[in-house]
Amino acid sequence: MARYAHIVGWGMAVPQRVVTNHELAQFVDTSDEWIVTRTGIRERRVAGPQESTATLSIAAAEEALAVAGINPRDVDLILVATVTPEHLFPATACLVQDALGASRAGAFDLLAGCSGFIYALHMAAAAIRAGTHDVALVIGAETLSRIVNWRDRNTCVLFGDGAGAVVLKGSETPGGVLASMIRADGSGGELLILPAGGSRMPISEAVVRDGCHFVRMNGREVFRFATRVMEKATREVVAQAGLRLEDVDLIIPHQANIRIIEAAAKGLGLPMERFFVNIDRYGNTSSASIPIALCEAAQQGRLKSGETAVMVAFGAGLTWAAAVVRWGMPLARPRPPWLERLGRITLYLPAQLHSRLMRLWRRFDAWLSRFLRQEGE
């Protein structure tokens, strides 16, 4: 019997702080008109001191699980797509797993630039179709404000912070992720890169002085690459799903630049009304871009049960990816806000307590081992 991977829950989280173009213009040689004309961005969210890729991931995941009505203990796979992980290791996905109390889940991070969420969706759907997993939590999350040079108007005006998540569940009912594709061309790796922080260029005083710990981008070449692959990937994945462009109800593109989206629409011969756009409010949130847009499309009624959506993205690597999804709206479970908060406390407080107890136990176990060894001597 064939298995299908359905999206049964979704959630998003963005920082409270909004940074407008006018605010940027106070310390960068730019203007609201310059930014809007070239990118379509009017504002973006920037993480505060207590916010990080992990905290945003956890908040988005909790919302997605609540929509799905799934207990974290029933999740058996967690993927976090990000280029700004909490640490190089441990994986941010492991921190999410611990915070949620998803005791049965395997967890790892995936790095594929702005295409990361669709890469992760592709892998999770494949695992569900293969029967090795039944419930997967796929998250795209970024705190890009931590790796941009706020004096470089060519990059700092583009990026924002946020997270989005979906819950995939296996079913024998046709639908869900109908097709997906992932591609890469590493020959263009230097076009969009964070030079320092890896094994080739470890962080040092000289690296920081030269600004190699900030993202660098050849905007002109990335633009040319993006306008080419967005149309190509959309056509390829739609054909893979056995559909025609006319069968697609909504296209959710990576929110990098409004001109790239407009070029894709023109190349596909589709009106902009068929594309979901929220870049004006969030900027480019990299791997969080697609899931945030997906969540807002669902919240705004742009996606209804039985409708078909295409998600398409490009990013550092160079990478590109696309997926076709047959939407199946979960049943509404309206609850008063106070009851929702109480439900989350009772669900996740035990996970927090368990995590702390495990840390205490490891310390005690290490002390006991040392004590017994000394006694034996």
Side-chain angles (χ1 to χ4, degrees), residues 178-190:
L178 302 180
S180 57
M181 53 84 73
I182 58 176
R183 300 286 187 273
D185 178 7
S187 67
E190 78 284 354

Side-chain angles (χ1 to χ4, degrees), residues 9-13 59-65 67 163-167 291-292 295 299:
W10 59 86
M12 59 176 281
E62 289 180 355
E63 184 176 324
L65 289 168
V67 170
V166 298
V167 178
I292 288 175
C295 289
Q299 293 165 2

Side-chain angles (χ1 to χ4, degrees), residues 218-239:
N218 184 326
R220 186 181 300 275
E221 289 301 317
V222 171
F223 185 91
R224 291 177 58 191
F225 160 74
T227 53
R228 184 173 65 252
V229 300
M230 291 282 275
E231 177 189 347
K232 179 182 177 182
T234 300
R235 291 187 183 278
E236 182 177 338
V237 80
V238 169

Side-chain angles (χ1 to χ4, degrees), residues 9-14 53 56-61 64 79-81 117 137-142 161-167 285 287-295:
W10 59 86
M12 59 176 281
V14 293
T53 299
L56 293 170
S57 295
I58 293 164
L79 301 181
V80 173
F117 175 78
L137 178 61
V138 180
I139 303 167
E142 304 288 1
D161 302 335
V166 298
V167 178
T285 55
S287 60
S289 165
I290 295 280
I292 288 175
L294 179 68
C295 289

